[in-house]
Amino acid sequence: MSIVHIRHLIYHTFDLPKQAARLNIPIILSFHDFYFICPTIHLIDEKDNYCAGVCSNTEGECRQPYNFSKKIPKLKNHWINFWKKNVSLLFENIDYFITTSDFTKQVYIKNYPILKNKQFKIIKHGRDF
């Protein structure tokens, strides 16, 4: 049996899940950061406050720490809505979601309530530092 496991889609388009679904290939998406909530990844606003994926009402743009997100037009409270709409469409073609902590799972569910009814598994990293 074939399966597609998406670890990340940075620098990629969001059509891979749709193409795999057309071929009846099951798709697993692993969340290891908050990229699909906000392309800044860290969920930190311009004042270094944690936003949990809900844009703060303060003035200013959130820091763009990575080159792939620096070209995004006004993100905070604007383009982020376009982003989340497209991520929601992406999620429609995912069969199974995985993350490493309940905290991350809950942040994703808060931002995308559709995930509450999806197959979602927590698999810890298994690292002991």
Side-chain angles (χ1 to χ4, degrees), residues 16 24 26 29 40 44 57 61-62 69-71 83 113 116:
L16 176 63
N24 293 318
L29 177 65
T40 63
I44 304 289
N57 290 325
E61 280 298 305
C62 300
S69 64
K70 287 184 178 177
K71 294 181 182 179
W83 176 261
K116 194 180 290 187

Side-chain angles (χ1 to χ4, degrees), residues 32-54:
H32 70 278
D33 59 33
F34 298 110
Y35 174 73
F36 290 109
I37 294 175
C38 180
T40 63
I41 296 178
H42 303 292
L43 305 185
I44 304 289
D45 72 9
E46 79 283 358
K47 294 184 178 188
D48 292 329
N49 294 313
Y50 174 69
C51 70
V54 178

Side-chain angles (χ1 to χ4, degrees), residues 77-125:
N77 290 311
H78 296 282
W79 196 82
I80 192 68
N81 299 318
F82 174 78
W83 176 261
K84 287 187 173 185
K85 178 182 176 186
N86 282 286
V87 170
S88 292
L89 294 172
L90 168 101
F91 287 169
E92 289 177 4
N93 291 298
I94 305 295
D95 298 295
Y96 206 80
F97 296 87
I98 297 172
T99 193
T100 56
S101 72
D102 188 57
F103 175 81
T104 302
K105 177 182 177 181
Q106 295 309 317
V107 172
Y108 267 95
I109 289 172
K110 178 182 176 187
N111 281 272
Y112 297 101
I114 188 175
L115 294 177
K116 194 180 290 187
N117 299 320
K118 295 278 192 173
Q119 300 252 7
F120 209 129
K121 179 85 172 162
I122 297 170
I123 301 175
K124 295 184 180 193
H125 276 300

